[in-house]
Amino acid sequence: EILVRGERLMLRPTFGALVAAEEELGPLFALVDRASAGELRLAEMVALFWHCRQGWPAAIGRADLGEAVAAQGLAAVTPALRAILRQILAGSA
């Protein structure tokens, strides 16, 4: 989950979401490597979150997500990022 405009919204790295993220960001293994090296860019994180959104209100756009991430700070959104990266590497049970 991530907090955007006062709402807790679900992130789910489905196959379709990950394929879309990979189309935009390049190979997922390279993304994970950049993240583990502390080199993941803010725009990449927002793009990954955007593609993994599920059941979000239509009124919340990608710019809203980016502003929410910037306002909360990286420490607040890192748990969601870690969860997605863990699921990319390990899959979901």
Side-chain angles (χ1 to χ4, degrees):
E1 292 184 338
I2 190 163
L3 186 64
V4 181
R5 290 175 38 187
E7 293 186 57
R8 289 216 167 273
L9 301 173
M10 182 182 292
L11 298 170
R12 178 175 237 163
T14 63
F15 175 75
L18 295 178
V19 168
E22 195 170 50
E23 286 292 319
E24 179 176 346
L25 300 169
L28 294 178
F29 279 115
L31 181 80
V32 171
D33 283 344
R34 286 193 303 279
S36 67
E39 297 175 359
L40 190 67
R41 296 180 179 131
L42 179 61
E44 292 176 312
M45 182 187 309
V46 170
L48 181 61
F49 287 168
W50 181 252
H51 290 295
C52 291
R53 73 195 187 283
Q54 181 168 354
W56 288 26
I60 294 180
R62 191 165 174 167
D64 298 313
L65 173 59
E67 290 298 325
V69 168
Q72 292 172 65
L74 295 178
V77 298
T78 295
L81 176 63
R82 281 189 185 138
I84 291 172
L85 295 176
R86 190 172 22 255
Q87 288 180 359
I88 288 171
L89 290 172
S92 58

